[in-house]
């Protein structure tokens, strides 16, 4: 299994991300796209586009998507999936696009990775045209996520505590950051986001993606036991989780 590099933590896990998680955030797309008014012809930048599932969806809607991601392998996979879409290497703080190039900017499960949220929002404002909107979505607090049972069991197996919820996960967290940067919040909410695995093998691979083979072998029983209550009669797993989302209009610059 590939090992991750501190400079490029996502390339080594990009293939597994696409396989087990690439489509996962789909339920959060609908409120973002509706509230942002994205439709045929809308120029949309997907920041932290990962393996390109949202780009492909935007293409199918007739929007005009572009993508950006710092991980070279993510860029490669997104280009292969959303054929013909302009996907560039880059990150939130340095978007490789012209001023005013987009009507909407989306970041799904990615804004939390920005080194500096204020800089990221300033950069988002720069690439948006006047009246442009940003749509952000990401994990809600642990208490809303079945996945927390597994993460807590893995932390306990390591004599550790599960990570605390960051402010963006809490009610009002996204809106507070956006308002603090001068954006007009149009709407927001919380949406159920199930994650499914076909069997024990996919459950373990999906949860432990990026870990080396011996760690996977050690931790597989912990994962399977912690997920027991989410196992369905056919041997697959269904975990209910939640994403918070918010859409805001760019401040006048
Ligand atoms: C959890 S994945 C989500 C990918 C995709 N948006 C999705 O919903 O499947 C996070 C993505 O954010 C990217 N990322 C990490 N740091 C970033 C940054 N500073 N700016 C933009 N994207 C970043 C990663 O390379 C990765 O593709």
């Amino acid at each position: 299994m590939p090992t991750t590099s501190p400079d490029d933590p996502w390339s080594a896990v990009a293939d597994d991300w696409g396989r087990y998680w690439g489509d996962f955030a789909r339920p959060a797309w609908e409120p973002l796209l509706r509230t942002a008014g994205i439709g045929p012809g809308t120029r949309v930048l997907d920041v932290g586009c990962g393996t390109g599932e949202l780009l492909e969806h935007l293409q199918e809607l007739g929007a005009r998507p572009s993508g950006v991601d710092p991980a070279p392998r993510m860029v490669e996979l997104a280009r292969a999936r959303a054929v013909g879409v302009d996907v560039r290497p880059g990150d939130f703080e340095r978007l490789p696009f012209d001023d005013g190039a987009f009507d909407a900017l989306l970041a799904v499960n990615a804004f939390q990775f920005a080194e500096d949220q204020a800089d990221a929002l300033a950069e988002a404002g720069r690439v948006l045209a006047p009246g442009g909107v940003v749509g952000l979505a990401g994990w809600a607090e642990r208490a809303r996520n079945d996945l927390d049972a597994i993460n807590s069991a893995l932390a306990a197996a390591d004599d550790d505590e599960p990570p605390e919820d960051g402010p963006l996960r809490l009610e009002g967290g996204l809106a507070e950051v956006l308002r603090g940067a001068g954006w007009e919040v149009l709407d927001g909410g919380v949406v159920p986001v199930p994650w499914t695995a076909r069997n024990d093998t996919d459950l373990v691979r999906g949860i432990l993606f990026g870990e080396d083979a011996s760690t996977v072998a050690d931790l597989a029983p912990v994962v399977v036991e912690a997920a027991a209550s989410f196992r369905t009669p056919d041997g697959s797993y269904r975990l209910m989780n939640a994403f918070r989302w918010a859409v805001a209009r760019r401040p006048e610059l």
Side-chain angles (χ1 to χ4, degrees):
M1 186 172 283
T3 50
T4 57
S5 128
D7 294 338
D8 178 18
W10 284 97
S11 278
V13 298
D15 291 75
D16 276 348
W17 177 265
R19 189 166 304 125
Y20 300 111
W21 295 94
D23 217 18
F24 158 70
R26 182 176 285 269
W29 299 350
E30 192 280 326
L32 286 184
L33 269 57
R34 176 173 35 82
T35 311
I38 292 171
T42 311
R43 299 167 301 163
V44 189
L45 179 62
D46 180 14
V47 181
C49 64
T51 44
E53 287 76 4
L54 175 54
L55 294 175
E56 186 182 30
H57 179 66
L58 290 164
Q59 258 185 323
E60 287 163 1
L61 286 180
R64 293 165 54 196
S66 302
V68 62
D69 200 286
R73 180 65 181 152
M74 289 291 194
V75 170
E76 211 172 278
L77 291 172
R79 285 176 178 158
R81 175 177 291 279
V83 176
V85 172
D86 181 1
V87 184
R88 302 183 187 179
D91 60 30
F92 236 126
E93 293 81 2
R94 289 160 292 269
L95 296 172
F97 292 92
D98 291 341
D99 295 4
F102 298 100
D103 308 305
L105 180 150
L106 302 175
V108 176
N109 200 1
F111 183 60
Q112 70 270 29
F113 298 114
E115 277 164 39
D116 183 304
Q117 290 169 357
D119 286 353
L121 288 176
E123 188 62 348
R126 181 187 66 75
V127 299
L128 286 172
V133 291
V134 70
L136 306 176
W139 287 93
E141 65 271 27
R142 288 169 44 203
R144 289 179 177 266
N145 300 322
D146 286 347
L147 203 69
D148 182 58
I150 302 178
N151 288 337
S152 296
L154 287 169
D158 208 19
D159 275 338
D160 218 340
E161 296 289 325
E164 294 284 317
D165 285 324
L168 292 179
R169 288 184 171 229
L170 305 178
E171 187 171 4
L174 283 168
E176 192 176 319
V177 172
L178 287 160
R179 287 201 184 100
W183 294 65
E184 177 198 353
V185 176
L186 302 179
D187 204 358
V190 61
V191 63
V193 180
W195 183 69
T196 56
R198 287 177 307 174
N199 49 38
D200 285 11
T201 306
D202 282 6
L203 172 80
V204 168
R205 288 196 179 141
I207 297 294
L208 298 174
F209 73 93
E211 300 290 356
D212 62 47
S214 80
T215 307
V216 171
D218 285 351
L219 294 178
V222 177
V223 172
V224 171
E225 190 186 331
S229 59
F230 311 117
R231 194 177 158 101
T232 67
D234 69 1
S236 66
Y237 292 84
R238 182 177 171 82
L239 284 77
M240 282 310 301
N241 305 287
F243 266 33
R244 293 194 180 279
W245 63 274
V247 172
R249 182 169 291 124
R250 188 193 88 143
E252 287 315 311
L253 301 177

CSV table of all heavy atoms in Angstrom, one decimal, residues 99-123:
chain,number,residue,atom,x,y,z
A,99,ASP,N,-8.9,36.8,-11.9
A,99,ASP,CA,-9.9,37.5,-11.2
A,99,ASP,C,-11.3,37.4,-11.9
A,99,ASP,O,-11.4,37.6,-13.1
A,99,ASP,CB,-9.6,39.0,-11.1
A,99,ASP,CG,-8.3,39.2,-10.3
A,99,ASP,OD1,-7.6,38.3,-9.9
A,99,ASP,OD2,-7.9,40.4,-10.2
A,100,GLY,N,-12.3,37.3,-11.1
A,100,GLY,CA,-13.7,37.3,-11.6
A,100,GLY,C,-14.1,36.3,-12.6
A,100,GLY,O,-15.0,36.5,-13.4
A,101,ALA,N,-13.4,35.1,-12.6
A,101,ALA,CA,-13.6,34.1,-13.7
A,101,ALA,C,-14.8,33.2,-13.4
A,101,ALA,O,-15.2,32.5,-14.4
A,101,ALA,CB,-12.3,33.2,-13.8
A,102,PHE,N,-15.4,33.3,-12.2
A,102,PHE,CA,-16.5,32.3,-11.9
A,102,PHE,C,-17.7,33.0,-11.3
A,102,PHE,O,-17.6,34.0,-10.7
A,102,PHE,CB,-15.9,31.2,-10.9
A,102,PHE,CG,-14.8,30.4,-11.5
A,102,PHE,CD1,-13.5,30.7,-11.1
A,102,PHE,CD2,-15.1,29.4,-12.4
A,102,PHE,CE1,-12.5,30.0,-11.7
A,102,PHE,CE2,-14.0,28.7,-13.0
A,102,PHE,CZ,-12.7,29.0,-12.6
A,103,ASP,N,-18.9,32.3,-11.5
A,103,ASP,CA,-20.1,32.8,-10.9
A,103,ASP,C,-20.3,32.1,-9.5
A,103,ASP,O,-21.0,32.7,-8.7
A,103,ASP,CB,-21.3,32.4,-11.8
A,103,ASP,CG,-21.1,32.9,-13.2
A,103,ASP,OD1,-20.9,34.1,-13.4
A,103,ASP,OD2,-21.2,32.0,-14.1
A,104,ALA,N,-19.7,30.9,-9.4
A,104,ALA,CA,-19.8,30.2,-8.1
A,104,ALA,C,-18.6,29.4,-7.8
A,104,ALA,O,-17.9,29.0,-8.8
A,104,ALA,CB,-21.0,29.3,-8.2
A,105,LEU,N,-18.3,29.3,-6.5
A,105,LEU,CA,-17.1,28.5,-6.1
A,105,LEU,C,-17.7,27.5,-5.1
A,105,LEU,O,-18.3,27.9,-4.1
A,105,LEU,CB,-16.0,29.4,-5.5
A,105,LEU,CG,-14.8,28.7,-5.0
A,105,LEU,CD1,-13.6,29.6,-5.2
A,105,LEU,CD2,-14.9,28.2,-3.5
A,106,LEU,N,-17.4,26.2,-5.2
A,106,LEU,CA,-17.8,25.2,-4.3
A,106,LEU,C,-16.6,24.5,-3.7
A,106,LEU,O,-15.6,24.4,-4.3
A,106,LEU,CB,-18.7,24.1,-5.0
A,106,LEU,CG,-19.9,24.6,-5.8
A,106,LEU,CD1,-20.5,23.5,-6.5
A,106,LEU,CD2,-20.9,25.2,-4.8
A,107,ALA,N,-16.8,24.1,-2.4
A,107,ALA,CA,-15.7,23.3,-1.8
A,107,ALA,C,-16.5,22.3,-0.9
A,107,ALA,O,-17.1,22.7,0.1
A,107,ALA,CB,-14.8,24.2,-1.0
A,108,VAL,N,-16.4,21.1,-1.2
A,108,VAL,CA,-17.1,20.0,-0.5
A,108,VAL,C,-16.1,19.2,0.3
A,108,VAL,O,-15.2,18.6,-0.4
A,108,VAL,CB,-17.9,19.1,-1.4
A,108,VAL,CG1,-18.6,18.0,-0.7
A,108,VAL,CG2,-19.0,20.0,-2.2
A,109,ASN,N,-16.2,19.2,1.6
A,109,ASN,CA,-15.2,18.4,2.4
A,109,ASN,C,-13.8,18.8,2.1
A,109,ASN,O,-12.9,18.0,2.1
A,109,ASN,CB,-15.4,16.9,2.1
A,109,ASN,CG,-14.9,16.0,3.2
A,109,ASN,OD1,-14.4,16.5,4.2
A,109,ASN,ND2,-15.0,14.7,3.0
A,110,ALA,N,-13.6,20.1,1.9
A,110,ALA,CA,-12.2,20.6,1.6
A,110,ALA,C,-11.8,21.9,2.3
A,110,ALA,O,-10.7,22.1,2.5
A,110,ALA,CB,-12.1,20.8,0.1
A,111,PHE,N,-12.8,22.7,2.6
A,111,PHE,CA,-12.5,24.0,3.2
A,111,PHE,C,-11.7,23.9,4.5
A,111,PHE,O,-10.9,24.7,4.8
A,111,PHE,CB,-13.8,24.8,3.4
A,111,PHE,CG,-13.6,26.2,4.0
A,111,PHE,CD1,-12.8,27.2,3.2
A,111,PHE,CD2,-14.1,26.6,5.2
A,111,PHE,CE1,-12.6,28.4,3.7
A,111,PHE,CE2,-13.9,27.9,5.7
A,111,PHE,CZ,-13.2,28.8,5.0
A,112,GLN,N,-12.0,22.8,5.2
A,112,GLN,CA,-11.3,22.6,6.5
A,112,GLN,C,-9.8,22.4,6.4
A,112,GLN,O,-9.1,22.4,7.3
A,112,GLN,CB,-11.9,21.4,7.3
A,112,GLN,CG,-11.7,20.0,6.8
A,112,GLN,CD,-12.8,19.6,5.8
A,112,GLN,OE1,-13.4,20.4,5.1
A,112,GLN,NE2,-13.0,18.3,5.7
A,113,PHE,N,-9.4,22.1,5.1
A,113,PHE,CA,-7.9,21.8,4.9
A,113,PHE,C,-7.2,23.1,4.5
A,113,PHE,O,-6.0,23.1,4.4
A,113,PHE,CB,-7.7,20.8,3.8
A,113,PHE,CG,-8.3,19.4,4.2
A,113,PHE,CD1,-9.4,18.9,3.5
A,113,PHE,CD2,-7.8,18.7,5.2
A,113,PHE,CE1,-9.9,17.7,3.8
A,113,PHE,CE2,-8.4,17.5,5.6
A,113,PHE,CZ,-9.4,17.0,4.9
A,114,ALA,N,-7.9,24.2,4.3
A,114,ALA,CA,-7.2,25.5,4.0
A,114,ALA,C,-6.3,25.8,5.2
A,114,ALA,O,-6.7,25.8,6.3
A,114,ALA,CB,-8.3,26.6,3.7
A,115,GLU,N,-5.1,26.3,4.8
A,115,GLU,CA,-4.2,26.7,5.9
A,115,GLU,C,-4.7,27.8,6.7
A,115,GLU,O,-4.5,28.0,7.9
A,115,GLU,CB,-2.8,27.1,5.3
A,115,GLU,CG,-1.9,26.0,5.0
A,115,GLU,CD,-0.8,26.5,4.0
A,115,GLU,OE1,-0.3,27.6,4.2
A,115,GLU,OE2,-0.5,25.7,3.1
A,116,ASP,N,-5.4,28.8,6.0
A,116,ASP,CA,-5.8,30.0,6.6
A,116,ASP,C,-7.2,30.3,6.0
A,116,ASP,O,-7.3,30.6,4.8
A,116,ASP,CB,-4.8,31.1,6.3
A,116,ASP,CG,-5.3,32.4,7.0
A,116,ASP,OD1,-6.4,32.9,6.8
A,116,ASP,OD2,-4.5,32.9,7.8
A,117,GLN,N,-8.3,30.2,6.8
A,117,GLN,CA,-9.6,30.3,6.2
A,117,GLN,C,-9.9,31.7,5.7
A,117,GLN,O,-10.6,31.9,4.7
A,117,GLN,CB,-10.6,29.9,7.3
A,117,GLN,CG,-10.6,28.4,7.6
A,117,GLN,CD,-11.4,28.0,8.8
A,117,GLN,OE1,-11.9,28.9,9.5
A,117,GLN,NE2,-11.4,26.8,9.1
A,118,ALA,N,-9.4,32.7,6.4
A,118,ALA,CA,-9.6,34.1,5.9
A,118,ALA,C,-8.9,34.3,4.5
A,118,ALA,O,-9.5,34.9,3.6
A,118,ALA,CB,-9.1,35.1,6.9
A,119,ASP,N,-7.7,33.8,4.4
A,119,ASP,CA,-7.0,33.9,3.1
A,119,ASP,C,-7.7,33.2,2.0
A,119,ASP,O,-7.9,33.6,0.9
A,119,ASP,CB,-5.6,33.4,3.2
A,119,ASP,CG,-4.6,34.3,4.0
A,119,ASP,OD1,-5.0,35.4,4.3
A,119,ASP,OD2,-3.5,33.8,4.2
A,120,ALA,N,-8.2,32.0,2.4
A,120,ALA,CA,-9.0,31.2,1.4
A,120,ALA,C,-10.2,31.9,0.9
A,120,ALA,O,-10.5,31.9,-0.3
A,120,ALA,CB,-9.3,29.8,2.0
A,121,LEU,N,-10.9,32.5,1.9
A,121,LEU,CA,-12.1,33.3,1.4
A,121,LEU,C,-11.8,34.5,0.6
A,121,LEU,O,-12.5,34.9,-0.3
A,121,LEU,CB,-13.0,33.6,2.7
A,121,LEU,CG,-13.7,32.4,3.3
A,121,LEU,CD1,-14.5,32.8,4.6
A,121,LEU,CD2,-14.7,31.7,2.3
A,122,ALA,N,-10.7,35.1,1.0
A,122,ALA,CA,-10.3,36.3,0.2
A,122,ALA,C,-10.0,35.9,-1.3
A,122,ALA,O,-10.3,36.5,-2.3
A,122,ALA,CB,-9.1,37.0,0.8
A,123,GLU,N,-9.3,34.7,-1.4
A,123,GLU,CA,-8.9,34.2,-2.7
A,123,GLU,C,-10.2,33.8,-3.5
A,123,GLU,O,-10.3,34.0,-4.7
A,123,GLU,CB,-8.0,33.0,-2.5
A,123,GLU,CG,-7.3,32.5,-3.7
A,123,GLU,CD,-6.4,33.4,-4.5
A,123,GLU,OE1,-6.5,34.7,-4.3
A,123,GLU,OE2,-5.8,32.9,-5.4
